Amino acid sequence: MLVTAGPTHEPIDPVRVIANRSSGRQGFAIAAAAAEAGARVTLVAGPVALEAPPHVHRIDVETAEQMANAVFAALPADVAIFVAAVADWHVEPSPTKLKKGEGPPKLKFLPTRDILAELGASERRPPLLIGFAAETERVVEQAVAKQIAKRADWIVANDVSGDVMGGHRNRVHLVTADGVEDWPEASKEEVARRLIERVAQVLS
Ligand code: CTP
């Protein structure tokens, strides 16, 4: 099983990055629950302040490009769960520190690789491909759109308008080919165990 977790950091110059609020907790909890259930787990982690769960092979990355390369290098997998909050944009980083006195920098944003969509369209696509959707409005509707656009089997949709990003609890909706399940709010560990139970049912 392959799991991505955490944010990515896209460098602006040697000291500054574009980042987001992802703590990595939900992805690490999923990797831990999968390993507890007996899966052989590779966890590709962005910059987070978390210990690797026991019996999980952890690969640390910083940027979306590094995460994409680590994911493809870790294949094949029976299941991939993309929990990471990958940056959608990066910039051409300056080799030297941008100086305040030179005024506000004009950053030219370029799209990053969409790892889930790339894998969804690839011949190396795992038999069970699961994405997350972080939304603040029309949560399920946008999750269904992502499921189709990225060719994921399931999307775990979460409303991140509160303190979910960086918090300890999560309220998710599981979008599958059979419809949408609304799961009750729970700790990220409980959400992880429930998701891994579902994955195990499918694999068996
Ligand atoms: N994802 C990815 N690579 C990216 C962006 C997202 O693999 N460059 C994955 C995430 O890990 C997640 C899913 O795609 O499983 C949806 O991510 P999300 O941030 O919700 O959506 P985006 O595609 O970034 O779209 P938007 O920011 O417009 O909602």
Side-chain angles (χ1 to χ4, degrees), residues 50-71:
L50 295 173
E51 295 283 324
H55 313 297
V56 165
H57 175 54
R58 173 181 183 166
I59 300 168
D60 285 311
V61 297
E62 192 178 326
T63 66
E65 181 66 22
Q66 289 166 2
M67 186 172 277
N69 291 338
V71 162

Side-chain angles (χ1 to χ4, degrees), residues 4 82-84 86-88 112-116 131-135 146 150:
T4 69
F82 285 68
V83 198
V86 185
D88 292 322
T112 55
R113 286 167 68 182
D114 190 317
I115 311 165
L116 176 57
F132 267 65
E135 309 292 352
K146 280 178 187 170
K150 303 193 185 207

Side-chain angles (χ1 to χ4, degrees), residues 153-164:
D153 295 300
W154 300 353
I155 292 280
V156 182
N158 58 345
D159 187 337
V160 292
S161 54
D163 61 356
V164 164

Side-chain angles (χ1 to χ4, degrees), residues 116-164:
L116 176 57
E118 244 185 69
L119 190 54
S122 145
E123 283 176 0
R124 306 178 74 200
R125 183 192 192 283
L128 182 58
L129 182 60
I130 305 173
F132 267 65
E135 309 292 352
T136 56
E137 53 190 0
R138 295 183 288 116
V139 175
V140 169
E141 185 188 324
Q142 303 209 66
V144 172
K146 280 178 187 170
Q147 179 192 24
I148 296 163
K150 303 193 185 207
R151 302 191 207 184
D153 295 300
W154 300 353
I155 292 280
V156 182
N158 58 345
D159 187 337
V160 292
S161 54
D163 61 356
V164 164

